[in-house]
């Protein structure tokens, strides 16, 4: 670790005081020369002054030294992490700026490398371990990082679960090797009081060619690369690419626009009919749309996940529920399915929203079902179990969306209160092309029958698919063959037309 520079004794006061005494002594010496009778008295005074000067000088030096020490202590505290004693973000950025200045004339293939090392699932681990063991874990991580780096590198703690490494004069190939080494070293088991713990890390690297870029940008780039590495599921590393920055910027722009669209009520709901084996409409699925004037529509697959990362998910869920319930007042004989995201189930606000909606509109909850994806059940948290039971107690049904795409498991189908399974479109679209698709659909239908659940096939586009599905025992369908999602105002006419056709 680098040592902070000590300050010179800066005591102007000492110079002034000693200078004044020296001047006084000189005057006294001159006086003594002119008045020989006063010599003994004057020499005693001069000796006294000399001794006083010495004492004053030593006192001033002591005071100046202690001032220097407390200044460098204050500087140390301001620039280091108190737990691990590693440099903090401030010092990391200073060192980065210094290194960029020093490296300005280095060969172009000798880049400055910045690594952001993020511990994976740190919140979960610290919840399990408790605060003391988590602190020990951070200290151990710091120590492993120091050992893995060499003395010229700067290793810093940039946040609770975030560390930084700075290395100068490296070729591009090196970054991958070094990152892979760090992942290996940090992933070895840690000994905690509760037993052995494994904590992996993800790494984002940013290489700054000599003389280019600003320190804060370089660190931001490494963090962007880290987020991208984290999406790979842990224990991966990624090097920064300009596309990551562009993606983030366009995501931020979309977020601003979505916020405005929600506030201005620019989102709407459309409805896709669900039909029975006779082709009669028995229900609709409510799907959200964001039409932007003069510009391309944004898919809900894009803006719904975005809303969940920027605090808009409650507002969006509330809008979908409310609008679907209001529109459904015109269709007392149809079941209306409303999509509810996994985050909404976990957030805890869903039950309050539904209760308020029932009081406000007086709607019959049995006419509605909430569509959730399998991933919600996978989390296997007791909160989710309770929320889903509360949904059922209020009278709403529950349909399991995109069934077959996750880890479809019999045990959670039995444990959780589900009324309907929706077979994912991917199986339906492969019917007639991949023999296993019809085997899977048959297995899902048998499962549904055994558990007394309804089963609906999504994404039915051709009559051949509908026929095969019927043969496999599935008698509820949704897909472009019957209708694309349409505006609420079109549903009544479609119901009437289909009733006629079914008759
Ligand atoms: P999802 O719930 O699986 O909805 C079915 C999607 O498949 C819809 O896309 C629908 O338009 C499309 N689809 C229906 N039939 C066919 C077909 O025959 N062929 C093809 N190729 N596609 C078909 P959409 O409306 O773009 O929605 C995409 C996803 O966005 C939905 O998938 C759902 O996960 C989510 N979503 C939509 N609206 C909402 C909402 O109000 N709240 C929440 N949380 N999610 C929503
Ligand atoms: Ca759905
Ligand atoms: Ca679906």
């Amino acid at each position: 670790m680098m040592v902070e520079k000590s300050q010179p004794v800066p005591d102007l006061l000492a110079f002034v005081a000693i200078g004044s005494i020296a001047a006084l002594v000189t005057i006294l010496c001159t006086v003594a020369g002119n008045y020989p009778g006063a010599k003994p008295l004057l020499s005693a005074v001069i000796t006294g002054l000399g001794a006083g000067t010495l004492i004053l000088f030593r006192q001033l030096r002591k005071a100046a030294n202690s001032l220097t020490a407390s200044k460098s202590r204050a500087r140390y505290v301001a620039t280091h992490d108190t737990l691990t004693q590693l440099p903090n973000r401030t010092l990391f950025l200073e060192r980065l700026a210094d290194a960029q200045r020093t490296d300005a004339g280095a060969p172009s293939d000798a880049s400055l490398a910045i690594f952001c090392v993020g511990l994976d699932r740190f919140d979960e681990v610290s919840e399990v371990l408790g605060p003391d063991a988590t602190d020990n874990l951070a200290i151990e991580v710091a120590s492993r990082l120091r050992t893995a780096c060499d003395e010229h590198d700067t290793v810093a703690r940039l946040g609770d679960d975030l560390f930084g490494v700075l290395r100068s004069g490296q070729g591009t190939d090196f970054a991958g090797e070094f990152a892979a080494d760090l992942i290996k070293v940090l992933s070895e088991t840690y000994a905690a009081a509760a037993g052995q713990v494994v904590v992996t890390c993800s790494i984002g690297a940013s290489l700054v060619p000599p003389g280019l870029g600003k320190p804060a940008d370089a660190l931001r780039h490494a963090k962007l690369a880290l987020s991208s590495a984290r999406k790979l599921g842990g224990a991966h590393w990624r090097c920064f690419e300009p596309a990551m920055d562009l993606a983030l910027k366009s995501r931020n722009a979309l977020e601003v626009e979505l916020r405005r669209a929600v506030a201005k009520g620019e989102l709407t709901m459309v409805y896709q009919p669900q039909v029975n084996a006779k082709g009669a409409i028995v229900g609709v699925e409510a799907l959200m749309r964001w039409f932007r004037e003069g510009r391309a529509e944004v898919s809900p697959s894009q803006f719904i996940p975005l809303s969940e990362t920027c605090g808009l998910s409650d507002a969006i869920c509330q809008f979908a529920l409310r609008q679907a319930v209001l529109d459904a007042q015109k269709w007392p004989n149809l079941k209306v399915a409303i999509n509810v995201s996994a985050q909404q189930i976990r957030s805890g606000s869903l039950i309050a929203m539904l209760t308020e909606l029932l009081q406000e509109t007086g709607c019959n909850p049995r006419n509605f079902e909430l569509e959730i994806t399998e991933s919600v059940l996978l989390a296997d948290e007791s909160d989710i179990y309770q929320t889903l039971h509360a949904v059922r107690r209020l009278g709403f049904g529950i349909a399991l969306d995109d069934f077959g795409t996750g880890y479809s498991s019999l045990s959670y189908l039995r444990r959780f209160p589900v009324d309907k399974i929706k077979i994912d479109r991917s199986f339906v679209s492969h019917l007639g092309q991949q023999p296993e698709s019809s085997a899977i659909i048959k297995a899902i239908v048998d499962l549904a029958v055994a558990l007394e659940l309804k089963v609906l096939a999504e994404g039915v586009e051709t009559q051949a698919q509908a026929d095969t599905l019927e043969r496999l025992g599935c008698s509820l369908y949704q897909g472009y063959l019957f209708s694309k999602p349409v505006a609420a105002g079109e549903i009544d006419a479609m119901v009437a037309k289909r009733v006629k056709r079914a008759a």
Side-chain angles (χ1 to χ4, degrees), residues 304-320:
I304 299 273
L306 176 67
S307 73
E308 298 186 341
T309 60
C310 63
L312 286 172
S313 103
D314 267 12
I316 284 200
C317 180
Q318 196 145 26
F319 165 73

Side-chain angles (χ1 to χ4, degrees), residues 285 339 371 401 422:
E285 176 177 1
N339 290 283
E371 289 197 6
D401 207 355
K422 292 187 80 179

